Amino acid sequence: MPDPVRDGCHRGSNLCIRPLFRIQHPSFPVSNPSFSLSSICIDKPRRALENRRFSSPIGKVPQRMKALLETRLGATPLLGRGKVRDLYEIDNALLLVATDRISAFDHILATGIPGKGKILTQISLFWFDLLSNLVPNHLITANVDEFPAALHPYKDQLEGRSMLVRRAGMYPIECVARGYLAGSGWKEYVASRTVCGIPLPAGLLDGSKLPEPIFTPATKSEGGAHDENISHAAVEKIVGKDIAHELRRLTLAIYARASEHAEKCGLILADTKFEFGALNGGIILADEVLTPDSSRFWEAAAWKPGGAQPSFDKQFVRDYLESIHWNKQAPAPGLPDDVVERTLAKYLEAFRRLTGRDLAL
């Protein structure tokens, strides 16, 4: 599994839309209409336009289900397309649509994973509900029938994979919680026996459980650069001491709640990242939450420190790309059917294990 901050899954800059005006509309009232945004940051964008040049897919996507690689919603204002999500402006709200695009090594691949966007959205909705008494979130509704009427003709593109959400002034911090040593945290530990400057005991292995979960924030980079791990003191300088303290408290509280649930499902939540925003004088949880794209879930029964752990993510994709010796430059290759199907099966298993339900795609 890639590190939620720096190992491929969330590399690149944020999709940051800086409005030049306040937006108000009676369809989506806010309790503080004078609130204005400093930025809207959802998902990660493509690092460069050349990433849009795809080579022909290898193999065929199963005919029973097609991947949705790009949405087109008529005159609805498009604010941007990230590596996974398309972002639209809906009056004073936002519409997030999770496509089936999949990226690896900072490139969007030619082949999508059919239904992946629905799985990610439904996992996020599950967690928003489970965490609702811990932290408020940006969700207005995920029911397309409750969207503005202008969106109803596009129900086939939106059903199951879209969320109408409140706008918030997003904090420029990736709020990462780690309970286990892996990814860039393991690399830093080997070099300095620290993670984000936090000293750790000697003798830990790749995959070891930490003495206690730690908050390891990162900057949200812009312009295509990678996110960089930073110290808590650096967070205080960026957002202020009180906000920094609250972001740390919320991050670790959510991680504890989610870890407890994952354990009941036979899973280990090794690490994860959250994004928070300011709205009406408070802090809300935004973007995707605790999905296989933003988190590292391991199979608890197979956990054995000392190397890579069996995980629920796109490892099949990365392994395939390494096997064909792709130079990790555009144009990005496609994926054979067996890699697509195995990757989809992993995402579906993550959904089933976490929610206790099957998902009809």
Side-chain angles (χ1 to χ4, degrees), residues 43-44 82-86 97-101 116 120 293:
D43 194 20
K44 305 289 183 181
K83 286 184 177 178
V84 175
R85 288 166 184 79
D86 292 350
V97 189
T99 71
D100 296 330
R101 296 191 293 264
K116 173 177 174 279
L120 296 180
D293 275 13

Side-chain angles (χ1 to χ4, degrees), residues 71-350:
T71 58
R72 295 185 179 276
L73 306 184
T76 308
L78 175 68
L79 297 180
R81 300 190 193 276
K83 286 184 177 178
V84 175
R85 288 166 184 79
D86 292 350
L87 180 65
Y88 294 87
E89 179 180 273
I90 309 294
D91 300 316
N92 70 334
L94 298 173
L95 180 70
L96 275 64
V97 189
T99 71
D100 296 330
R101 296 191 293 264
I102 189 166
S103 65
F105 306 112
D106 287 336
H107 292 266
I108 300 172
L109 304 184
T111 308
I113 307 297
K116 173 177 174 279
K118 291 185 177 181
I119 298 168
L120 296 180
T121 299
Q122 296 305 311
I123 289 177
S124 287
L125 291 172
F126 168 80
W127 287 112
F128 281 141
D129 181 62
L130 189 69
L131 300 168
S132 61
N133 65 346
L134 193 62
V135 58
N137 60 70
H138 66 168
L139 180 66
I140 296 173
T141 182
N143 184 345
V144 178
D145 292 335
E146 297 175 359
F147 289 2
L151 294 174
H152 292 178
Y154 309 104
K155 188 172 183 177
D156 60 330
Q157 297 181 60
L158 301 175
E159 191 73 59
R161 62 171 74 244
S162 58
M163 297 187 292
L164 192 65
V165 303
R166 298 174 181 86
R167 288 178 179 246
M170 301 301 291
Y171 295 111
I173 305 293
E174 299 275 1
C175 293
V176 181
R178 301 177 189 266
Y180 292 76
L181 198 55
S184 64
W186 165 245
K187 294 176 183 177
E188 181 181 335
Y189 175 82
V190 170
S192 62
R193 222 170 75 186
T194 64
V195 176
C196 282
I198 301 172
L200 294 174
L204 298 179
L205 303 175
D206 186 3
S208 287
K209 185 175 183 178
L210 301 177
E212 62 181 8
I214 57 176
F215 176 61
T216 59
T219 58
K220 288 183 180 179
S221 58
E222 296 187 39
H226 296 329
D227 298 338
E228 295 292 337
N229 292 344
I230 59 176
S231 67
H232 184 73
V235 178
E236 292 182 347
K237 291 181 179 179
I238 295 171
V239 300
K241 187 172 183 179
D242 291 343
I243 295 297
H245 175 80
E246 186 63 5
L247 292 179
R248 179 183 183 276
R249 185 192 70 79
L250 284 171
T251 297
L252 293 178
I254 296 170
Y255 176 80
R257 176 77 62 83
S259 295
E260 181 182 5
H261 176 80
E263 184 178 352
K264 295 176 181 177
C265 302
L267 301 174
I268 289 172
L269 176 59
D271 51 36
T272 189
K273 71 97 185 175
F274 305 111
E275 297 194 28
F276 296 96
L279 182 65
N280 300 330
I283 295 177
I284 65 170
L285 182 62
D287 202 4
E288 66 178 324
V289 179
L290 293 155
T291 71
D293 275 13
S294 67
S295 313
R296 198 188 311 264
F297 288 102
W298 292 338
E299 182 68 68
W303 174 60
K304 185 179 180 180
Q309 308 296 314
S311 61
F312 293 80
D313 69 339
K314 49 189 174 183
Q315 191 60 48
F316 290 126
V317 171
R318 288 189 296 274
D319 290 346
Y320 168 75
L321 294 174
E322 293 287 13
S323 75
I324 63 172
H325 306 293
W326 174 43
N327 64 3
K328 301 179 180 63
Q329 300 295 321
L335 301 172
D337 282 355
D338 65 316
V339 174
V340 170
E341 291 167 0
R342 285 187 290 167
T343 301
L344 177 58
K346 271 295 182 183
Y347 277 89
L348 281 170
E349 185 181 357

